[in-house]
Amino acid sequence: MKFNNVEYASQDENALTFTLVAGAVQGDAVTLTGNGTAGRGADGDPFYGKLNLPEGDGKGAVSRDGIVIVKYTGALTAGYRQVTVDGAGKVKPAAATGRACWVIGVDGTYAAIDLG
């Protein structure tokens, strides 16, 4: 199946290629923003993964599985948590529901998150 000229069959299960929304930069916590698109999203959108490698053609690889290191904001603590994006490239604790994942640890700027 294709979205935005990207084939989703046989891609690496840990990182998928998406068409990126303007403003997304390497290392951002991103969400799905539409069919085959990913970006910073709006504050409170579910966390999908980490933008690893934006490319010149407007596409980029997003890690959606395994361990990711991303910037965070708010009172995020280690444990099994619901997390969302903040719309500025960081993750934060969900006010209601978000992506359930293991926060392995935080250091004041970055969080290590096990996406499963």
Side-chain angles (χ1 to χ4, degrees):
M1 177 175 282
K2 281 189 177 182
F3 293 110
N4 301 314
N5 293 319
V6 175
E7 178 61 54
Y8 285 88
S10 301
Q11 284 201 42
D12 182 328
E13 293 178 9
N14 294 325
L16 296 175
T17 300
F18 288 91
T19 298
L20 301 175
V21 174
V25 297
Q26 187 169 2
D28 274 354
V30 297
T31 189
L32 299 181
T33 57
N35 289 332
T37 62
R40 289 180 168 187
D43 187 22
D45 284 347
F47 175 49
Y48 181 76
K50 177 184 177 180
L51 176 55
N52 285 326
L53 185 61
E55 300 171 5
D57 63 358
K59 295 180 175 39
V62 175
S63 290
R64 60 168 208 68
D65 198 5
I67 308 296
V68 296
I69 309 297
V70 293
K71 288 185 177 182
Y72 78 95
T73 188
L76 190 63
T77 58
Y80 194 64
R81 305 282 181 248
Q82 297 274 332
V83 295
T84 62
V85 297
D86 71 347
K90 299 177 183 178
V91 295
K92 68 178 201 171
T97 59
R99 181 174 182 171
C101 54
W102 285 99
V103 176
I104 297 169
V106 297
D107 78 352
T109 303
Y110 290 92
I113 300 176
D114 183 353
L115 298 175

